[in-house]
Amino acid sequence: IKNLADFIISTLNRSVTSLNTLGQKIIHEVLDTISKENNVDSQGLKNVTNFLIYLSEKVPKVIFSNLSSLVGFYDLDSYLVRNTLTEMLTNIIINILTNNTDELDQDTKANYYKTKTGFINMLFERIYDKSPFCRKNSLQSLVSRFFIFYFVS
């Protein structure tokens, strides 16, 4: 998975056009795979979720631009998918919405802050998930990963 992800990331980083187009195609293929295997926590689904987490760490802008398609998967029965979405939201908050905001204008900063607050609220909602593992993962993301970033920036 990591080798494939590295290849795709290097391809995505070559040009802005390929970043948007290829990124959207990859996300849509991944969404189809998740839709087909939504109730089964199979090895294939584990690989897909690991791939998404890795992508959100390395090219968070691709995930951020397609996040509206992904957030609906919080309603699936698979705890793997719900945990993956939590990890991806956390990576987006840390890598896009918190870091490197000094160069942005005031309107963009205000939009980032509003978006970041909305994402944090989504993570707080996950504390009430039906799976204890998902609740633990949400709390862990809130506390250990970026809680400090939220109050610092």
Side-chain angles (χ1 to χ4, degrees):
I1 295 295
K2 189 171 186 266
N3 293 335
L4 175 64
D6 287 335
F7 172 74
I8 290 172
I9 289 166
S10 67
T11 304
L12 290 174
N13 285 331
R14 289 196 180 137
S15 76
V16 176
T17 311
S18 68
L19 179 69
N20 293 330
T21 308
L22 186 60
Q24 287 177 347
K25 288 181 182 180
I26 291 169
I27 295 296
H28 288 296
E29 288 295 322
V30 168
L31 293 176
D32 288 342
T33 303
I34 290 173
S35 297
K36 291 175 186 171
E37 299 186 27
N38 67 0
N39 291 325
V40 181
D41 291 333
S42 65
Q43 186 62 40
L45 188 60
K46 288 178 186 177
N47 289 337
V48 168
T49 56
N50 287 337
F51 177 74
L52 282 173
I53 290 170
Y54 191 72
L55 275 182
S56 71
E57 292 170 355
K58 300 298 180 185
V59 283
K61 290 182 180 182
V62 171
I63 301 295
F64 183 56
S65 64
N66 293 289
L67 196 60
S68 61
S69 304
L70 294 166
V71 172
F73 286 105
Y74 265 133
D75 298 332
L76 294 180
D77 289 336
S78 173
Y79 75 92
L80 282 173
V81 174
R82 295 193 312 268
N83 279 339
T84 298
L85 290 171
T86 299
E87 291 279 332
M88 290 178 358
L89 278 175
T90 304
N91 289 335
I92 288 170
I93 291 169
I94 292 171
N95 295 323
I96 295 178
L97 301 175
T98 302
N99 293 338
N100 303 324
T101 58
D102 295 335
E103 307 93 37
L104 303 173
D105 60 52
Q106 292 300 331
D107 290 337
T108 307
K109 280 185 184 181
N111 286 337
Y112 273 21
Y113 182 78
K114 183 178 177 183
T115 305
K116 179 170 57 170
T117 304
F119 287 172
I120 290 171
N121 288 337
M122 286 169 58
L123 291 176
F124 273 115
E125 290 173 13
R126 300 315 317 160
I127 294 172
Y128 301 108
D129 195 283
K130 60 185 172 184
S131 166
F133 187 62
C134 293
R135 293 192 296 258
K136 177 199 74 92
N137 193 21
S138 297
L139 284 170
Q140 197 172 24
S141 291
L142 285 166
V143 174
S144 67
R145 297 219 178 134
F146 68 86
F147 199 135
I148 295 171
F149 288 111
Y150 184 72
F151 290 108
V152 169
S153 59

